[in-house]
Amino acid sequence: VFELLNEPKDNLRGALWNDYLKEGIDTIRNNDKRRKIIIGPDSYYSVERLYDLIIPKDRNLILTFHYYEPNKFTFQGDPYHEGYEDFKNIKWTATDEEVEAITHRFDIAKKYSRENNIPVFLGEFGVNKKAKEPYREDWIRSVRSEADDYNFSWGYWEFASNFGIYNLNTGAWDVDLEALIPATVES
């Protein structure tokens, strides 16, 4: 799978981003007609920018978007996301209203997917380890569960750093691994 650019932002938006995508896809197709190419909207792959994305005609594209909402919860205390360093102790408890916010965003992606006959890959979702358990686990489980319900393939951000699910120091999985990969019950 190819991805031309992860999370285009700032000046690379609108018509310029669409032109860049088309040119990149054409360049790849000169050498490889069948490999899948992941594409997404500008503004950090924001679902709200999907309807500004112009998809070139190509049967081997996969649509992606990223999901980190609500940002005050997922980025709390994160020094790499300016403006979120001082947020702390923010809760997320999987209330009906909180889960509805996820489904609203996923509805946008699903509608766009159907209208454009393109599969969806939730390319990133994650929550900073500074969010306290069990809130972090509830959020991860809820987003993954909704993605599964929508038949979106997904990738969690990331493995073993600020948002990770594995502790390199202890060599152990975090308790929230089951939120991503539920245990199956043998019948």
Side-chain angles (χ1 to χ4, degrees), residues 26-40:
D26 289 346
T27 300
I28 290 169
R29 292 302 179 227
N30 286 333
N31 297 298
D32 189 329
K33 305 284 186 210
R34 296 186 344 222
R35 190 177 310 250
K36 299 288 186 186
I37 302 173
I38 294 173
I39 64 167

Side-chain angles (χ1 to χ4, degrees), residues 71-86:
N71 293 344
K72 284 183 180 180
F73 173 71
T74 61
F75 295 143
Q76 65 182 291
D78 190 339
Y80 301 106
H81 288 87
E82 187 177 337
Y84 295 95
E85 309 91 332
D86 295 328

Side-chain angles (χ1 to χ4, degrees), residues 85-118:
E85 309 91 332
D86 295 328
F87 289 114
K88 62 182 178 180
N89 298 319
I90 297 172
K91 299 174 182 178
W92 196 92
T93 58
T95 64
D96 290 345
E97 183 179 346
E98 289 170 329
V99 173
E100 179 61 32
I102 299 169
T103 60
H104 173 70
R105 295 290 196 240
F106 285 19
D107 283 344
I108 295 168
K110 188 67 166 186
K111 181 177 185 241
Y112 188 87
S113 166
R114 285 184 185 138
E115 291 171 355
N116 291 280
N117 194 29
I118 186 170

Side-chain angles (χ1 to χ4, degrees), residues 7-174:
E7 294 188 341
K9 61 185 177 96
D10 299 331
N11 293 330
L12 190 53
R13 59 184 291 138
L16 181 59
W17 175 238
N18 287 320
D19 290 346
Y20 180 86
L21 278 176
K22 184 178 179 334
E23 182 179 340
I25 290 168
D26 289 346
T27 300
I28 290 169
R29 292 302 179 227
N30 286 333
N31 297 298
D32 189 329
K33 305 284 186 210
R34 296 186 344 222
R35 190 177 310 250
K36 299 288 186 186
I37 302 173
I38 294 173
I39 64 167
D42 60 21
S43 193
Y44 299 93
Y45 283 166
S46 170
V47 73
E48 291 180 352
R49 297 285 297 158
L50 277 174
Y51 282 91
D52 292 303
L53 177 67
I54 298 172
I55 299 178
K57 290 192 183 279
D58 190 297
R59 297 176 59 186
N60 289 310
L61 300 178
I62 300 169
L63 177 69
T64 193
F65 72 100
H66 293 176
Y67 188 79
Y68 291 97
E69 296 176 25
N71 293 344
K72 284 183 180 180
F73 173 71
T74 61
F75 295 143
Q76 65 182 291
D78 190 339
Y80 301 106
H81 288 87
E82 187 177 337
Y84 295 95
E85 309 91 332
D86 295 328
F87 289 114
K88 62 182 178 180
N89 298 319
I90 297 172
K91 299 174 182 178
W92 196 92
T93 58
T95 64
D96 290 345
E97 183 179 346
E98 289 170 329
V99 173
E100 179 61 32
I102 299 169
T103 60
H104 173 70
R105 295 290 196 240
F106 285 19
D107 283 344
I108 295 168
K110 188 67 166 186
K111 181 177 185 241
Y112 188 87
S113 166
R114 285 184 185 138
E115 291 171 355
N116 291 280
N117 194 29
I118 186 170
V120 177
F121 170 54
L122 174 55
E124 287 182 20
F125 70 100
V127 57
N128 189 321
K129 286 184 178 182
K130 293 189 180 188
K132 294 181 178 178
E133 298 290 346
Y135 311 125
R136 183 172 186 254
E137 185 174 337
D138 285 343
W139 186 90
I140 291 169
R141 179 179 293 105
S142 294
V143 174
R144 188 265 316 145
S145 177
E146 290 297 316
D148 288 349
D149 288 348
Y150 278 76
N151 288 323
F152 296 165
S153 57
W154 52 264
Y156 183 79
W157 179 262
E158 46 54 43
F159 184 65
S161 192
N162 292 344
F163 286 64
I165 58 170
Y166 186 78
N167 187 316
L168 289 174
N169 295 325
T170 65
W173 293 100
D174 287 342

